[in-house]
Amino acid sequence: MSRGAFLRDLLLPPAPKPVGVMGVFSYVDDATDAVHALQEGGHRDLSVFSPVPYHDLEKVMKQGPSLVRWVAFAGGVCGLTGGFALCIYSALSWPMVVAGKELVSIPPFVVIGYESMILLTGIFNLLGMLALARLPVVRSKAPYDPRFSEDKIGIWVPAQGETAARALELMRGHGADEVKLHA
Amino acid sequence: MSGTVLTGAAAAALHRDDPERRPLTQKSLNDDILRMIAKPGPVWIAVFAFDLLVLLVGGLCLRNQIVLGLGVAGYTRPVMWAAYITNFVFWVGIAHCGTLVSAILFLFRSHFRRAVYRVAEAMTVFGVLTAGLFPLLHTGRPWLGYWLVPYPTQRGLWPNFRSPLEWDVFAVTTYLTVSSIFFVVGLIPDVAAARDRATGKVLKTLYTALSFGWSGGNNQWKHYYGAYLYFAAIATPLVLSVHSVVSWDFAVSQTAGWHNTIFAPYFVAGAIFSGVALVINLLIVIRKAFRLEHIVTTDHIEKLSKLVLLTSTIVGYSYLTEFFMAWYGPSNAERDTFLFRYFGHFWWASWIMFTCNVILPLLLWFKGVRRNLPVLFVLMLFVNVGMWFERFVIIITSLARPFEPYAWGVNYRMSWTEAGITAGAFAWFFMFFLVFVKVLPAFSITEIKETLPVPRRRKG
């Protein structure tokens, strides 16, 4: 084994081979029906891949709103308080009174607080999105097909044995262009 | 032909001659947009080489200034802010269009933005990168630029947070950070599409890294669009605040011609005006060069030109309001400054500004002009010339005419160093832009796909 390959395996051991069934669909209504049928058949851990988010699929997958908004909100609170705190701390730590004016003069500090709020909201929003969407994907749990970034929809059912065979038949029956068993 | 409905092959044959009506499918959209990032052709290489040459000239001028000091920049008392601050405000203004198109129009659900927003967003990021150079160059010692940033030191010194110049540091760095994040996040699904087609090892690695391993899974889409909405929601007040803060660099000072409450909305409107004009120029060239007339149609360009018309009227109204306030208000100095602005030594600059920004855009009331792309292209160039002169006029004429008559002076001339660095800034901006159109998807594949009919087996 070369040194590079050894280091790679040490830092990032090879991902376990995905086991399940991948169905590829051309039509949204077929894919929606297939997801519905699979859910009725007891499959709960489905994943759907698509080039754009389709409302029908979002609905059948029962996806609620993303929690990322709370992460962004936390960033906003941190930024606003941090921005004001920085201004107030720096004014008090080097007290230089000019023309008898207040050291802590809130109106000019609003700009700093406001910009800091937006800055941290943006950064937290990004980090929240990456964390919740499990990005970056280092080891995928499902096989990927480049057609999913073009015009095809993929449904991944993690299953094996008899259950996988049933899922395979079910997707074929709902108009899948192709269904592949990953055993 | 009346009464005959053409379908299938007959309709396709009819539309073949009209590039704006070339058929579009989900797959062909990937083909058309990702075709742009193929190996560069001789025209691109020639343009890029010329761009680098101009950038080199700008770099040599910068070297000249660093070696010899700010004296080569043409500053002459009382005009101690000149071309660099003009360029700073101009480029921050250019940068405003991207966030307007990508964030504000997103919140308003204006679907025409989908075909044009990526170019505008890229322009925003590169515009801020260009703008950010100028305050540093203006300080004369750009290597000490980090002094602007608050950081704990042994001496316990902090920047003055009451100063609008420090507000600028926060506003511009926030704008650069948030607009860059917004740009990169918007690219993720499209870069994944580019990754899936990339054959070269370098590009494949680059796209894999930039796409964060995106696979288009339902969980990814859910959080992606959740976050995208909030990016748009925070970018909207940000874009309004940034140019307001830039305007306060002037308005908060006690200088006749600057000390106006109208400055914030006036600057924001002007920024959108110039930014949209430049995005129209860029789109007209890109759609022609890459044969993308069916993706960026004349309708899209016409809608953008209506935005230019709207903001032109706001800018024109602001010019007149400023003049009215000087005439109607109590300040003799203000009145004198405005008379000097339009009829004094720099009258030519003021009338270039007024003609390009107020009179020529009146042509946009005519639909024929809005839909005639060569005419529109030239008109938008005039708008940007006018908007550069607007900042020049505001800065130079007010500084040349301070309160103390003995201090009046009209000796400022733009030096060759300033002119070289100004040209170099344009080359700096276009260098990023030229690389962008050849490396990253310049149009949003995902968002344009969303405008296509949803593929369903069951009709109706």
PDB file of all heavy atoms in Angstrom, chain A residues 28-30 48 50 54 56 66 103 105 114-115 125 137 144 149-150, chain B residues 26 30 162 196-197 212 216 218 223 227 237 241 449 455-458:
ATOM      1  N   VAL A  28     -42.686  13.192 -11.997  1.00  0.00           N
ATOM      2  CA  VAL A  28     -42.885  13.522 -10.583  1.00  0.00           C
ATOM      3  C   VAL A  28     -44.070  12.755 -10.019  1.00  0.00           C
ATOM      4  O   VAL A  28     -44.011  12.259  -8.884  1.00  0.00           O
ATOM      5  CB  VAL A  28     -43.102  15.043 -10.428  1.00  0.00           C
ATOM      6  CG1 VAL A  28     -43.441  15.398  -8.990  1.00  0.00           C
ATOM      7  CG2 VAL A  28     -41.871  15.799 -10.861  1.00  0.00           C
ATOM      8  N   ASP A  29     -45.146  12.639 -10.795  1.00  0.00           N
ATOM      9  CA  ASP A  29     -46.324  11.942 -10.241  1.00  0.00           C
ATOM     10  C   ASP A  29     -46.037  10.460  -9.993  1.00  0.00           C
ATOM     11  O   ASP A  29     -46.483   9.894  -8.992  1.00  0.00           O
ATOM     12  CB  ASP A  29     -47.573  12.150 -11.111  1.00  0.00           C
ATOM     13  CG  ASP A  29     -47.300  12.043 -12.596  1.00  0.00           C
ATOM     14  OD1 ASP A  29     -46.145  11.781 -12.966  1.00  0.00           O
ATOM     15  OD2 ASP A  29     -48.241  12.216 -13.391  1.00  0.00           O
ATOM     16  N   ASP A  30     -45.243   9.853 -10.892  1.00  0.00           N
ATOM     17  CA  ASP A  30     -44.863   8.445 -10.660  1.00  0.00           C
ATOM     18  C   ASP A  30     -44.046   8.332  -9.375  1.00  0.00           C
ATOM     19  O   ASP A  30     -44.285   7.444  -8.548  1.00  0.00           O
ATOM     20  CB  ASP A  30     -43.992   7.943 -11.825  1.00  0.00           C
ATOM     21  CG  ASP A  30     -44.822   7.695 -13.079  1.00  0.00           C
ATOM     22  OD1 ASP A  30     -46.062   7.742 -12.981  1.00  0.00           O
ATOM     23  OD2 ASP A  30     -44.218   7.471 -14.151  1.00  0.00           O
ATOM     24  N   VAL A  48     -35.069  10.921  -1.303  1.00  0.00           N
ATOM     25  CA  VAL A  48     -35.462  11.253  -2.678  1.00  0.00           C
ATOM     26  C   VAL A  48     -34.436  12.242  -3.232  1.00  0.00           C
ATOM     27  O   VAL A  48     -34.079  13.212  -2.555  1.00  0.00           O
ATOM     28  CB  VAL A  48     -36.874  11.879  -2.708  1.00  0.00           C
ATOM     29  CG1 VAL A  48     -37.255  12.266  -4.132  1.00  0.00           C
ATOM     30  CG2 VAL A  48     -37.895  10.920  -2.139  1.00  0.00           C
ATOM     31  N   SER A  50     -33.448  14.802  -6.521  1.00  0.00           N
ATOM     32  CA  SER A  50     -34.083  15.442  -7.684  1.00  0.00           C
ATOM     33  C   SER A  50     -33.264  16.662  -8.107  1.00  0.00           C
ATOM     34  O   SER A  50     -32.547  17.238  -7.294  1.00  0.00           O
ATOM     35  CB  SER A  50     -35.511  15.857  -7.337  1.00  0.00           C
ATOM     36  OG  SER A  50     -35.508  16.710  -6.218  1.00  0.00           O
ATOM     37  N   TYR A  54     -39.357  19.416  -5.738  1.00  0.00           N
ATOM     38  CA  TYR A  54     -40.747  19.362  -6.227  1.00  0.00           C
ATOM     39  C   TYR A  54     -41.692  19.389  -5.039  1.00  0.00           C
ATOM     40  O   TYR A  54     -41.516  18.632  -4.083  1.00  0.00           O
ATOM     41  CB  TYR A  54     -40.970  18.096  -7.046  1.00  0.00           C
ATOM     42  CG  TYR A  54     -40.212  18.081  -8.354  1.00  0.00           C
ATOM     43  CD1 TYR A  54     -39.194  17.150  -8.567  1.00  0.00           C
ATOM     44  CD2 TYR A  54     -40.514  18.980  -9.371  1.00  0.00           C
ATOM     45  CE1 TYR A  54     -38.493  17.128  -9.763  1.00  0.00           C
ATOM     46  CE2 TYR A  54     -39.806  18.961 -10.573  1.00  0.00           C
ATOM     47  CZ  TYR A  54     -38.795  18.039 -10.760  1.00  0.00           C
ATOM     48  OH  TYR A  54     -38.109  18.027 -11.943  1.00  0.00           O
ATOM     49  N   ASP A  56     -44.718  18.328  -4.756  1.00  0.00           N
ATOM     50  CA  ASP A  56     -45.452  17.069  -4.542  1.00  0.00           C
ATOM     51  C   ASP A  56     -44.620  16.111  -3.679  1.00  0.00           C
ATOM     52  O   ASP A  56     -45.133  15.460  -2.762  1.00  0.00           O
ATOM     53  CB  ASP A  56     -45.730  16.386  -5.886  1.00  0.00           C
ATOM     54  CG  ASP A  56     -46.667  17.199  -6.758  1.00  0.00           C
ATOM     55  OD1 ASP A  56     -46.955  18.337  -6.375  1.00  0.00           O
ATOM     56  OD2 ASP A  56     -47.094  16.699  -7.818  1.00  0.00           O
ATOM     57  N   SER A  66     -37.607  24.072   7.794  1.00  0.00           N
ATOM     58  CA  SER A  66     -36.237  23.832   8.266  1.00  0.00           C
ATOM     59  C   SER A  66     -35.981  24.564   9.582  1.00  0.00           C
ATOM     60  O   SER A  66     -36.443  25.688   9.782  1.00  0.00           O
ATOM     61  CB  SER A  66     -35.253  24.317   7.205  1.00  0.00           C
ATOM     62  OG  SER A  66     -33.953  24.314   7.721  1.00  0.00           O
ATOM     63  N   LEU A 103     -20.057  59.171  26.717  1.00  0.00           N
ATOM     64  CA  LEU A 103     -19.104  58.182  26.197  1.00  0.00           C
ATOM     65  C   LEU A 103     -19.847  57.090  25.421  1.00  0.00           C
ATOM     66  O   LEU A 103     -19.446  56.706  24.334  1.00  0.00           O
ATOM     67  CB  LEU A 103     -18.341  57.537  27.359  1.00  0.00           C
ATOM     68  CG  LEU A 103     -17.112  58.283  27.862  1.00  0.00           C
ATOM     69  CD1 LEU A 103     -16.546  57.567  29.077  1.00  0.00           C
ATOM     70  CD2 LEU A 103     -16.056  58.372  26.776  1.00  0.00           C
ATOM     71  N   SER A 105     -22.543  56.556  23.327  1.00  0.00           N
ATOM     72  CA  SER A 105     -23.524  57.266  22.500  1.00  0.00           C
ATOM     73  C   SER A 105     -24.183  56.264  21.559  1.00  0.00           C
ATOM     74  O   SER A 105     -23.570  55.802  20.602  1.00  0.00           O
ATOM     75  CB  SER A 105     -22.830  58.377  21.717  1.00  0.00           C
ATOM     76  OG  SER A 105     -21.596  57.919  21.196  1.00  0.00           O
ATOM     77  N   TYR A 114     -26.100  46.889  14.017  1.00  0.00           N
ATOM     78  CA  TYR A 114     -26.950  46.429  12.909  1.00  0.00           C
ATOM     79  C   TYR A 114     -26.138  45.601  11.907  1.00  0.00           C
ATOM     80  O   TYR A 114     -26.551  44.500  11.512  1.00  0.00           O
ATOM     81  CB  TYR A 114     -27.531  47.677  12.239  1.00  0.00           C
ATOM     82  CG  TYR A 114     -28.427  47.447  11.057  1.00  0.00           C
ATOM     83  CD1 TYR A 114     -29.771  47.155  11.239  1.00  0.00           C
ATOM     84  CD2 TYR A 114     -27.940  47.556   9.756  1.00  0.00           C
ATOM     85  CE1 TYR A 114     -30.606  46.966  10.145  1.00  0.00           C
ATOM     86  CE2 TYR A 114     -28.763  47.378   8.667  1.00  0.00           C
ATOM     87  CZ  TYR A 114     -30.087  47.082   8.869  1.00  0.00           C
ATOM     88  OH  TYR A 114     -30.915  46.897   7.778  1.00  0.00           O
ATOM     89  N   GLU A 115     -24.989  46.129  11.505  1.00  0.00           N
ATOM     90  CA  GLU A 115     -24.162  45.407  10.523  1.00  0.00           C
ATOM     91  C   GLU A 115     -23.645  44.095  11.125  1.00  0.00           C
ATOM     92  O   GLU A 115     -23.596  43.075  10.432  1.00  0.00           O
ATOM     93  CB  GLU A 115     -22.979  46.271  10.056  1.00  0.00           C
ATOM     94  CG  GLU A 115     -23.364  47.562   9.346  1.00  0.00           C
ATOM     95  CD  GLU A 115     -24.103  47.364   8.034  1.00  0.00           C
ATOM     96  OE1 GLU A 115     -24.052  46.253   7.473  1.00  0.00           O
ATOM     97  OE2 GLU A 115     -24.764  48.324   7.580  1.00  0.00           O
ATOM     98  N   ASN A 125     -26.435  31.291   9.533  1.00  0.00           N
ATOM     99  CA  ASN A 125     -27.369  30.684   8.584  1.00  0.00           C
ATOM    100  C   ASN A 125     -26.630  29.672   7.708  1.00  0.00           C
ATOM    101  O   ASN A 125     -27.124  28.563   7.477  1.00  0.00           O
ATOM    102  CB  ASN A 125     -27.973  31.806   7.721  1.00  0.00           C
ATOM    103  CG  ASN A 125     -29.245  31.395   7.033  1.00  0.00           C
ATOM    104  OD1 ASN A 125     -29.949  30.492   7.482  1.00  0.00           O
ATOM    105  ND2 ASN A 125     -29.550  32.047   5.932  1.00  0.00           N
ATOM    106  N   VAL A 137     -20.860  16.439   2.205  1.00  0.00           N
ATOM    107  CA  VAL A 137     -21.040  14.991   2.242  1.00  0.00           C
ATOM    108  C   VAL A 137     -19.680  14.350   2.013  1.00  0.00           C
ATOM    109  O   VAL A 137     -19.083  14.522   0.957  1.00  0.00           O
ATOM    110  CB  VAL A 137     -22.026  14.544   1.144  1.00  0.00           C
ATOM    111  CG1 VAL A 137     -22.170  13.034   1.154  1.00  0.00           C
ATOM    112  CG2 VAL A 137     -23.361  15.218   1.322  1.00  0.00           C
ATOM    113  N   TYR A 144     -25.092   7.491  -5.798  1.00  0.00           N
ATOM    114  CA  TYR A 144     -25.488   8.705  -6.505  1.00  0.00           C
ATOM    115  C   TYR A 144     -25.461   8.449  -8.004  1.00  0.00           C
ATOM    116  O   TYR A 144     -24.622   7.694  -8.512  1.00  0.00           O
ATOM    117  CB  TYR A 144     -24.526   9.843  -6.149  1.00  0.00           C
ATOM    118  CG  TYR A 144     -24.833  11.136  -6.853  1.00  0.00           C
ATOM    119  CD1 TYR A 144     -25.986  11.854  -6.534  1.00  0.00           C
ATOM    120  CD2 TYR A 144     -23.995  11.626  -7.850  1.00  0.00           C
ATOM    121  CE1 TYR A 144     -26.285  13.031  -7.191  1.00  0.00           C
ATOM    122  CE2 TYR A 144     -24.284  12.813  -8.504  1.00  0.00           C
ATOM    123  CZ  TYR A 144     -25.427  13.504  -8.172  1.00  0.00           C
ATOM    124  OH  TYR A 144     -25.729  14.665  -8.826  1.00  0.00           O
ATOM    125  N   SER A 149     -28.825  15.329 -11.302  1.00  0.00           N
ATOM    126  CA  SER A 149     -28.614  16.776 -11.454  1.00  0.00           C
ATOM    127  C   SER A 149     -29.078  17.254 -12.831  1.00  0.00           C
ATOM    128  O   SER A 149     -28.923  18.416 -13.168  1.00  0.00           O
ATOM    129  CB  SER A 149     -27.135  17.127 -11.250  1.00  0.00           C
ATOM    130  OG  SER A 149     -26.353  16.559 -12.269  1.00  0.00           O
ATOM    131  N   GLU A 150     -29.647  16.327 -13.612  1.00  0.00           N
ATOM    132  CA  GLU A 150     -30.164  16.733 -14.931  1.00  0.00           C
ATOM    133  C   GLU A 150     -31.686  16.743 -14.929  1.00  0.00           C
ATOM    134  O   GLU A 150     -32.297  17.790 -14.765  1.00  0.00           O
ATOM    135  CB  GLU A 150     -29.633  15.778 -16.005  1.00  0.00           C
ATOM    136  CG  GLU A 150     -28.173  16.015 -16.317  1.00  0.00           C
ATOM    137  CD  GLU A 150     -27.659  15.108 -17.406  1.00  0.00           C
ATOM    138  OE1 GLU A 150     -28.350  14.133 -17.783  1.00  0.00           O
ATOM    139  OE2 GLU A 150     -26.538  15.370 -17.883  1.00  0.00           O
TER     140      GLU A 150
ATOM    141  N   GLN B  26     -35.225  20.223 -19.285  1.00  0.00           N
ATOM    142  CA  GLN B  26     -34.330  20.177 -18.125  1.00  0.00           C
ATOM    143  C   GLN B  26     -32.922  19.770 -18.542  1.00  0.00           C
ATOM    144  O   GLN B  26     -31.932  20.340 -18.081  1.00  0.00           O
ATOM    145  CB  GLN B  26     -34.884  19.200 -17.097  1.00  0.00           C
ATOM    146  CG  GLN B  26     -36.152  19.703 -16.423  1.00  0.00           C
ATOM    147  CD  GLN B  26     -36.410  19.012 -15.105  1.00  0.00           C
ATOM    148  OE1 GLN B  26     -35.795  18.016 -14.786  1.00  0.00           O
ATOM    149  NE2 GLN B  26     -37.336  19.538 -14.333  1.00  0.00           N
ATOM    150  N   ASN B  30     -29.107  22.083 -18.853  1.00  0.00           N
ATOM    151  CA  ASN B  30     -27.759  21.720 -18.374  1.00  0.00           C
ATOM    152  C   ASN B  30     -26.751  21.833 -19.515  1.00  0.00           C
ATOM    153  O   ASN B  30     -25.663  22.386 -19.348  1.00  0.00           O
ATOM    154  CB  ASN B  30     -27.737  20.275 -17.854  1.00  0.00           C
ATOM    155  CG  ASN B  30     -28.316  20.153 -16.472  1.00  0.00           C
ATOM    156  OD1 ASN B  30     -29.354  20.726 -16.199  1.00  0.00           O
ATOM    157  ND2 ASN B  30     -27.670  19.409 -15.603  1.00  0.00           N
ATOM    158  N   ARG B 162     -17.729  55.984  16.427  1.00  0.00           N
ATOM    159  CA  ARG B 162     -18.666  57.075  16.119  1.00  0.00           C
ATOM    160  C   ARG B 162     -18.408  57.635  14.713  1.00  0.00           C
ATOM    161  O   ARG B 162     -19.159  58.463  14.236  1.00  0.00           O
ATOM    162  CB  ARG B 162     -18.507  58.202  17.127  1.00  0.00           C
ATOM    163  CG  ARG B 162     -18.903  57.831  18.534  1.00  0.00           C
ATOM    164  CD  ARG B 162     -18.760  59.054  19.434  1.00  0.00           C
ATOM    165  NE  ARG B 162     -18.866  58.678  20.820  1.00  0.00           N
ATOM    166  CZ  ARG B 162     -17.857  58.217  21.543  1.00  0.00           C
ATOM    167  NH1 ARG B 162     -16.671  58.070  20.995  1.00  0.00           N
ATOM    168  NH2 ARG B 162     -18.035  57.888  22.806  1.00  0.00           N
ATOM    169  N   ASP B 196     -20.769  16.762 -12.144  1.00  0.00           N
ATOM    170  CA  ASP B 196     -21.193  15.491 -12.732  1.00  0.00           C
ATOM    171  C   ASP B 196     -20.754  15.351 -14.182  1.00  0.00           C
ATOM    172  O   ASP B 196     -20.760  14.243 -14.720  1.00  0.00           O
ATOM    173  CB  ASP B 196     -22.718  15.357 -12.625  1.00  0.00           C
ATOM    174  CG  ASP B 196     -23.161  15.222 -11.179  1.00  0.00           C
ATOM    175  OD1 ASP B 196     -22.287  14.942 -10.333  1.00  0.00           O
ATOM    176  OD2 ASP B 196     -24.350  15.398 -10.899  1.00  0.00           O
ATOM    177  N   ARG B 197     -20.422  16.484 -14.824  1.00  0.00           N
ATOM    178  CA  ARG B 197     -20.001  16.407 -16.226  1.00  0.00           C
ATOM    179  C   ARG B 197     -18.511  16.648 -16.411  1.00  0.00           C
ATOM    180  O   ARG B 197     -18.005  16.446 -17.510  1.00  0.00           O
ATOM    181  CB  ARG B 197     -20.742  17.459 -17.037  1.00  0.00           C
ATOM    182  CG  ARG B 197     -22.196  17.156 -17.152  1.00  0.00           C
ATOM    183  CD  ARG B 197     -22.788  17.914 -18.278  1.00  0.00           C
ATOM    184  NE  ARG B 197     -24.187  17.576 -18.410  1.00  0.00           N
ATOM    185  CZ  ARG B 197     -24.926  17.950 -19.418  1.00  0.00           C
ATOM    186  NH1 ARG B 197     -24.402  18.676 -20.380  1.00  0.00           N
ATOM    187  NH2 ARG B 197     -26.192  17.608 -19.479  1.00  0.00           N
ATOM    188  N   PHE B 212     -19.833  20.905  -2.135  1.00  0.00           N
ATOM    189  CA  PHE B 212     -19.958  20.308  -0.795  1.00  0.00           C
ATOM    190  C   PHE B 212     -20.489  18.869  -0.872  1.00  0.00           C
ATOM    191  O   PHE B 212     -21.152  18.418   0.040  1.00  0.00           O
ATOM    192  CB  PHE B 212     -20.880  21.137   0.099  1.00  0.00           C
ATOM    193  CG  PHE B 212     -20.333  22.495   0.467  1.00  0.00           C
ATOM    194  CD1 PHE B 212     -20.577  23.589  -0.352  1.00  0.00           C
ATOM    195  CD2 PHE B 212     -19.580  22.678   1.599  1.00  0.00           C
ATOM    196  CE1 PHE B 212     -20.084  24.842  -0.029  1.00  0.00           C
ATOM    197  CE2 PHE B 212     -19.077  23.935   1.928  1.00  0.00           C
ATOM    198  CZ  PHE B 212     -19.328  25.014   1.112  1.00  0.00           C
ATOM    199  N   GLY B 216     -28.576  16.523  -4.164  1.00  0.00           N
ATOM    200  CA  GLY B 216     -29.975  16.841  -4.473  1.00  0.00           C
ATOM    201  C   GLY B 216     -30.963  16.038  -3.642  1.00  0.00           C
ATOM    202  O   GLY B 216     -32.118  15.860  -4.052  1.00  0.00           O
ATOM    203  N   ASN B 218     -33.589  15.033  -0.588  1.00  0.00           N
ATOM    204  CA  ASN B 218     -34.711  15.831  -0.073  1.00  0.00           C
ATOM    205  C   ASN B 218     -34.336  16.616   1.177  1.00  0.00           C
ATOM    206  O   ASN B 218     -34.746  17.762   1.356  1.00  0.00           O
ATOM    207  CB  ASN B 218     -35.934  14.946   0.194  1.00  0.00           C
ATOM    208  CG  ASN B 218     -35.621  13.787   1.122  1.00  0.00           C
ATOM    209  OD1 ASN B 218     -34.696  13.015   0.881  1.00  0.00           O
ATOM    210  ND2 ASN B 218     -36.368  13.676   2.188  1.00  0.00           N
ATOM    211  N   HIS B 223     -33.264  22.138   3.763  1.00  0.00           N
ATOM    212  CA  HIS B 223     -32.486  23.125   4.523  1.00  0.00           C
ATOM    213  C   HIS B 223     -31.871  24.178   3.614  1.00  0.00           C
ATOM    214  O   HIS B 223     -31.663  25.320   4.023  1.00  0.00           O
ATOM    215  CB  HIS B 223     -31.427  22.415   5.364  1.00  0.00           C
ATOM    216  CG  HIS B 223     -32.021  21.487   6.364  1.00  0.00           C
ATOM    217  ND1 HIS B 223     -32.817  21.943   7.395  1.00  0.00           N
ATOM    218  CD2 HIS B 223     -31.999  20.140   6.472  1.00  0.00           C
ATOM    219  CE1 HIS B 223     -33.233  20.906   8.109  1.00  0.00           C
ATOM    220  NE2 HIS B 223     -32.759  19.802   7.565  1.00  0.00           N
ATOM    221  N   ALA B 227     -32.579  28.033   4.280  1.00  0.00           N
ATOM    222  CA  ALA B 227     -31.511  29.016   4.500  1.00  0.00           C
ATOM    223  C   ALA B 227     -31.539  30.105   3.436  1.00  0.00           C
ATOM    224  O   ALA B 227     -31.300  31.274   3.731  1.00  0.00           O
ATOM    225  CB  ALA B 227     -30.159  28.306   4.500  1.00  0.00           C
ATOM    226  N   PRO B 237     -32.295  44.152   3.847  1.00  0.00           N
ATOM    227  CA  PRO B 237     -31.942  45.344   4.638  1.00  0.00           C
ATOM    228  C   PRO B 237     -30.461  45.684   4.538  1.00  0.00           C
ATOM    229  O   PRO B 237     -30.076  46.840   4.665  1.00  0.00           O
ATOM    230  CB  PRO B 237     -32.321  44.967   6.076  1.00  0.00           C
ATOM    231  CG  PRO B 237     -32.420  43.501   6.101  1.00  0.00           C
ATOM    232  CD  PRO B 237     -32.816  43.074   4.708  1.00  0.00           C
ATOM    233  N   SER B 241     -28.792  49.225   3.653  1.00  0.00           N
ATOM    234  CA  SER B 241     -27.970  49.893   4.670  1.00  0.00           C
ATOM    235  C   SER B 241     -26.585  50.250   4.143  1.00  0.00           C
ATOM    236  O   SER B 241     -26.034  51.278   4.516  1.00  0.00           O
ATOM    237  CB  SER B 241     -27.845  49.017   5.923  1.00  0.00           C
ATOM    238  OG  SER B 241     -26.905  47.984   5.716  1.00  0.00           O
ATOM    239  N   LYS B 449     -34.751  25.898 -14.142  1.00  0.00           N
ATOM    240  CA  LYS B 449     -35.493  24.629 -14.259  1.00  0.00           C
ATOM    241  C   LYS B 449     -36.850  24.715 -13.561  1.00  0.00           C
ATOM    242  O   LYS B 449     -37.833  24.126 -14.000  1.00  0.00           O
ATOM    243  CB  LYS B 449     -34.679  23.504 -13.611  1.00  0.00           C
ATOM    244  CG  LYS B 449     -34.062  22.554 -14.599  1.00  0.00           C
ATOM    245  CD  LYS B 449     -33.253  21.511 -13.906  1.00  0.00           C
ATOM    246  CE  LYS B 449     -32.110  21.127 -14.843  1.00  0.00           C
ATOM    247  NZ  LYS B 449     -31.199  20.181 -14.228  1.00  0.00           N
ATOM    248  N   PRO B 455     -42.390  17.771 -14.914  1.00  0.00           N
ATOM    249  CA  PRO B 455     -42.607  16.570 -15.733  1.00  0.00           C
ATOM    250  C   PRO B 455     -43.610  15.611 -15.081  1.00  0.00           C
ATOM    251  O   PRO B 455     -43.349  15.069 -14.000  1.00  0.00           O
ATOM    252  CB  PRO B 455     -41.205  15.943 -15.811  1.00  0.00           C
ATOM    253  CG  PRO B 455     -40.455  16.492 -14.653  1.00  0.00           C
ATOM    254  CD  PRO B 455     -41.036  17.815 -14.330  1.00  0.00           C
ATOM    255  N   ARG B 456     -44.761  15.466 -15.703  1.00  0.00           N
ATOM    256  CA  ARG B 456     -45.801  14.567 -15.171  1.00  0.00           C
ATOM    257  C   ARG B 456     -46.256  13.620 -16.269  1.00  0.00           C
ATOM    258  O   ARG B 456     -46.406  14.023 -17.414  1.00  0.00           O
ATOM    259  CB  ARG B 456     -47.023  15.368 -14.709  1.00  0.00           C
ATOM    260  CG  ARG B 456     -46.781  16.220 -13.494  1.00  0.00           C
ATOM    261  CD  ARG B 456     -48.097  16.897 -13.091  1.00  0.00           C
ATOM    262  NE  ARG B 456     -47.831  18.038 -12.223  1.00  0.00           N
ATOM    263  CZ  ARG B 456     -47.553  17.937 -10.930  1.00  0.00           C
ATOM    264  NH1 ARG B 456     -47.530  16.745 -10.365  1.00  0.00           N
ATOM    265  NH2 ARG B 456     -47.306  19.011 -10.232  1.00  0.00           N
ATOM    266  N   ARG B 457     -46.541  12.383 -15.880  1.00  0.00           N
ATOM    267  CA  ARG B 457     -47.074  11.424 -16.868  1.00  0.00           C
ATOM    268  C   ARG B 457     -48.551  11.732 -17.100  1.00  0.00           C
ATOM    269  O   ARG B 457     -49.022  11.739 -18.225  1.00  0.00           O
ATOM    270  CB  ARG B 457     -46.911   9.993 -16.350  1.00  0.00           C
ATOM    271  CG  ARG B 457     -47.226   8.942 -17.409  1.00  0.00           C
ATOM    272  CD  ARG B 457     -47.243   7.554 -16.806  1.00  0.00           C
ATOM    273  NE  ARG B 457     -45.946   7.133 -16.312  1.00  0.00           N
ATOM    274  CZ  ARG B 457     -44.983   6.600 -17.083  1.00  0.00           C
ATOM    275  NH1 ARG B 457     -45.158   6.459 -18.373  1.00  0.00           N
ATOM    276  NH2 ARG B 457     -43.841   6.200 -16.545  1.00  0.00           N
ATOM    277  N   ARG B 458     -49.255  12.000 -15.994  1.00  0.00           N
ATOM    278  CA  ARG B 458     -50.689  12.284 -16.113  1.00  0.00           C
ATOM    279  C   ARG B 458     -50.864  13.764 -16.414  1.00  0.00           C
ATOM    280  O   ARG B 458     -50.393  14.620 -15.654  1.00  0.00           O
ATOM    281  CB  ARG B 458     -51.422  11.932 -14.818  1.00  0.00           C
ATOM    282  CG  ARG B 458     -51.386  10.461 -14.500  1.00  0.00           C
ATOM    283  CD  ARG B 458     -52.242  10.150 -13.295  1.00  0.00           C
ATOM    284  NE  ARG B 458     -51.713  10.705 -12.060  1.00  0.00           N
ATOM    285  CZ  ARG B 458     -50.874  10.050 -11.245  1.00  0.00           C
ATOM    286  NH1 ARG B 458     -50.460   8.829 -11.567  1.00  0.00           N
ATOM    287  NH2 ARG B 458     -50.447  10.601 -10.140  1.00  0.00           N
TER     288      ARG B 458
END
